[in-house]
Amino acid sequence: MTATVSPAGVPARPSAWSPFGHRTFTVLWIATVVSNIGTWMHDVGAGWLMTSLSPSPLMVAFVQTATTLPIFLFALPAGALADIVDRRRLLLIVQIIMTALAGALALIVWLGRVDAITLLVFTFLLGACAAFVAPAWQAIVPKLVPKDALQPAIALNSVGINISRAIGPALAGFVIVGLGIAAPFALNALSFLCVIGALIWWRPAPTPRTDLPAEALWSGVVTGLRFAWSSTPLKATLIRAASFFISASAFWALLPLIAKNELKGTATLYGVMLGAAGAGAVTGALFMPMLRKRLSPDRMVTVATGLIALVMLAVATIRHPAVATAGCFVFGAGWIAVLSTLNVSAQIALPDWVRARGLSVYLTVFFGAMSAGSALWGQVATQATIPIALLAAAVLLVAAIPATRNAKLHQAEGLDLSPSMHWPAPIVAGDGVDDRAGERRPVMTTIEYRIAPESQAQFRALMVELGEARKRLGAYSWGVLEDAAVPGCFVEYFLETSWLQHLRHHERVSGADRKLQEQILTLHRGDGKPIVRHLVGPKM
């Protein structure tokens, strides 16, 4: 499906529904909605069951922690694995394991053998599987739709999560009352079969061939962390995510206790409140295309954060089911606005070769903040009261707005992050760097520039940007030195762990990097091109 063209001849933005014109996206989207309905039923069942097994605020909040902590712990290796192995096969294997775990938990609950620790262990194990699913699942989205439909596709994935949030919790409340507490866990096990079937049906396009061997898991993790640390657009997104989620997590963590203790409600009320949050998120997502035309990404997050803080204030001070349910609706709309804006900001900052690893860093920050926040606000509620915990979280949420104003979102919008492949193959004498020992030897690359005095200030500024690019692509050390004997002769150097890593660097240089390098080359005044040397560590 191609983008439409406006009467003025300018390509129009794809509609919010354009990704549904692609069958693979539609099939996988429907399957994940069904599966997420089961997941939300599990979450409601676990939260409500814990209020009976161990009703303290801290233990109830630990259900949320057990769900989110595994993603904080395992997302980084999961992201590296998803960038190294076949993502479809990885998703299939993990979904089968999740089906078995959910079925076992349903059986234990049905037999009446469950206790608080068992519930937390199974919730943690399912969360660990989700940690290995999440980076791979998000990384395949750009493969399902064309580039111009990526933002609507990401938004529709968020819509799908919140449609399931609207249906799953409300359904779980009625199922618990009508069929018993084991029912939501059993239905969750069945829901995974939809995703397994969709993945078996899907036949992704083959990935581009490379003659280089796959990265080792640990070096893949290090490369992903190095990219995130050196990517200004991604770091800004991570800062905004951490500052938001650590405070906003209070609402999700304490919601079961708000429904049961503050409002004296049943599982049905809890499910309806969660359903209202999901309905608000779906409604908010429908208005997102219109809001994006009027609000910048930073303004969108600021406005939505303010709305969420007002909801937490209202729920803490006005203890009425109707007010709390309406507040959940507004909270859901604000939540989807922040979540989808942050997710798009992270996606567009990442080239495909490191997409799963970069998203795993984002997910680590997201769920780490959610886990820490859930434990923090559960402890505050235990030591003080639930309303005080909500009020404190709302104050911290508002205070983070001015504190993070310099971390701008969507900084990578418009950048060409696809591989440019413009670097020539390095000249190598003999085969010394191609053996297995050579792969473990460090490599230093030097580039010699001749820069006129009037261009040196501009050269230095551009080289700072280039240094960040070198480090994003695998260099662990970088610098620029000037020859003391030859004024205007500058030598750039960067070090990489191996010759193999340097060859990967060749494959990963992007179109945006090429544009930056061409700007620098216009300042070079030497005879011919800058002199490039590759220095390899000696054999040991």
Side-chain angles (χ1 to χ4, degrees):
M1 178 180 291
T2 58
T4 58
V5 179
S6 69
V10 178
R13 293 191 176 207
S15 75
W17 312 108
S18 62
F20 286 141
H22 305 276
R23 187 173 64 164
T24 302
F25 176 86
T26 304
V27 170
L28 291 174
W29 186 88
I30 292 171
T32 53
V33 168
V34 173
S35 179
N36 284 331
I37 289 172
T39 299
W40 282 109
M41 294 181 72
H42 167 93
D43 290 348
V44 171
W48 196 255
L49 180 59
M50 186 60 82
T51 62
S52 301
L53 297 174
S54 182
S56 76
L58 185 60
M59 287 300 292
V60 174
F62 272 159
V63 174
Q64 175 82 5
T65 301
T67 301
T68 56
L69 181 61
I71 299 187
F72 172 72
L73 296 176
F74 304 127
L76 288 176
L81 190 64
D83 277 333
I84 294 169
V85 304
D86 180 83
R87 291 169 183 166
R88 173 178 168 272
R89 183 176 300 175
L90 174 64
L91 289 169
L92 262 174
I93 292 171
V94 178
Q95 292 289 337
I96 292 169
I97 294 171
M98 295 177 82
T99 304
L101 286 170
L105 177 59
L107 179 62
I108 292 171
V109 174
W110 181 68
L111 293 174
R113 300 294 182 88
V114 69
D115 56 25
I117 299 301
T118 301
L119 178 61
L120 289 176
V121 168
F122 270 90
T123 300
F124 181 88
L125 291 175
L126 284 167
C129 290
F132 282 88
V133 165
W137 201 262
Q138 292 202 35
I140 68 173
V141 175
K143 301 293 186 182
L144 306 179
V145 296
K147 186 176 181 180
D148 63 352
L150 178 59
Q151 290 201 29
I154 293 171
L156 283 174
N157 279 341
S158 297
V159 169
I161 291 171
N162 287 284
I163 287 174
S164 63
R165 190 199 302 266
I167 298 172
L171 183 60
F174 290 109
V175 165
I176 291 171
V177 173
L179 299 178
I181 191 62
F185 304 111
L187 292 174
N188 182 37
L190 293 175
S191 72
F192 289 121
L193 298 178
C194 294
V195 178
I196 292 172
L199 289 170
I200 292 173
W201 167 83
W202 177 39
R203 289 294 182 268
T207 56
R209 285 183 55 82
T210 177
D211 294 329
L212 302 180
E215 288 182 87
L217 183 62
W218 175 246
S219 66
V221 171
V222 172
T223 300
L225 289 173
R226 188 173 287 134
F227 181 96
W229 181 257
S230 301
S231 171
T232 300
L234 185 57
K235 279 197 295 187
T237 304
L238 298 178
I239 290 169
R240 296 293 287 274
S243 66
F244 173 79
F245 291 121
I246 197 165
S247 300
S249 64
F251 192 83
W252 295 121
L254 299 176
L255 200 57
L257 293 170
I258 293 170
K260 186 170 186 177
N261 296 351
E262 300 296 312
L263 302 178
K264 310 302 180 186
T266 65
T268 301
L269 175 62
Y270 177 45
V272 168
M273 290 172 66
L274 278 175
V282 172
T283 304
L286 295 178
F287 284 96
M288 284 289 290
M290 180 185 70
L291 293 173
R292 278 199 298 265
K293 296 177 182 178
R294 292 168 170 78
L295 298 174
S296 68
D298 296 291
R299 183 63 61 86
M300 177 88 75
V301 170
T302 297
V303 171
T305 300
L307 281 176
I308 287 173
L310 288 175
V311 167
M312 295 168 76
L313 175 64
V315 172
T317 55
I318 307 173
R319 301 176 192 178
H320 191 281
V323 172
T325 302
C328 286
F329 182 89
V330 177
F331 182 94
W335 180 266
I336 191 67
V338 175
L339 192 64
S340 63
T341 303
L342 291 173
N343 195 296
V344 170
S345 185
Q347 282 272 16
I348 63 177
L350 295 165
D352 191 63
W353 67 267
V354 76
R355 187 175 302 279
R357 279 169 281 187
L359 290 171
S360 73
V361 174
Y362 169 74
L363 291 170
T364 299
V365 171
F366 175 8
F367 286 99
M370 290 287 287
S371 298
S374 297
L376 170 64
W377 303 119
Q379 184 64 23
V380 172
T382 300
Q383 298 299 320
T385 64
I386 293 171
I388 287 176
L390 285 175
L391 290 172
V395 170
L396 188 60
L397 199 61
V398 172
I401 295 174
T404 59
R405 65 182 179 275
N406 292 329
K408 303 297 183 183
L409 299 173
H410 286 219
Q411 293 183 36
E413 194 163 21
L415 295 180
D416 178 12
L417 300 181
S418 60
S420 65
M421 305 301 292
H422 73 282
W423 280 12
I427 298 173
V428 178
D431 59 359
V433 295
D434 294 325
D435 59 15
R436 300 305 300 179
E439 291 177 4
R440 294 192 293 269
R441 287 184 280 153
V443 176
M444 172 185 282
T445 303
T446 66
I447 305 99
E448 183 180 307
Y449 306 90
R450 299 299 178 105
I451 308 297
E454 64 272 14
S455 302
Q456 290 180 10
Q458 182 184 3
F459 173 77
R460 290 188 180 95
L462 292 173
M463 291 303 291
V464 170
E465 292 184 47
L466 184 59
E468 292 300 306
R470 305 289 199 205
K471 288 182 279 189
R472 284 197 303 271
L473 298 177
Y476 64 83
S477 181
W478 173 90
V480 177
L481 303 173
E482 184 175 9
D483 191 331
V486 185
C489 177
F490 294 87
V491 177
E492 177 196 10
Y493 68 89
F494 57 93
L495 288 93
E496 293 160 300
T497 55
S498 68
W499 184 251
L500 187 57
Q501 177 61 36
H502 180 71
L503 295 178
R504 291 193 180 104
H505 193 154
H506 275 250
E507 292 187 345
R508 293 167 177 175
V509 177
S510 71
D513 299 328
R514 177 176 186 168
K515 184 177 178 181
L516 175 61
Q517 290 165 20
E518 287 173 346
Q519 287 181 273
I520 294 171
L521 287 178
T522 62
L523 304 178
H524 175 64
R525 293 293 178 264
D527 296 330
K529 294 182 179 180
I531 300 171
V532 179
R533 295 184 179 89
H534 298 93
L535 310 176
V536 183
K539 292 184 178 182
M540 302 300 292

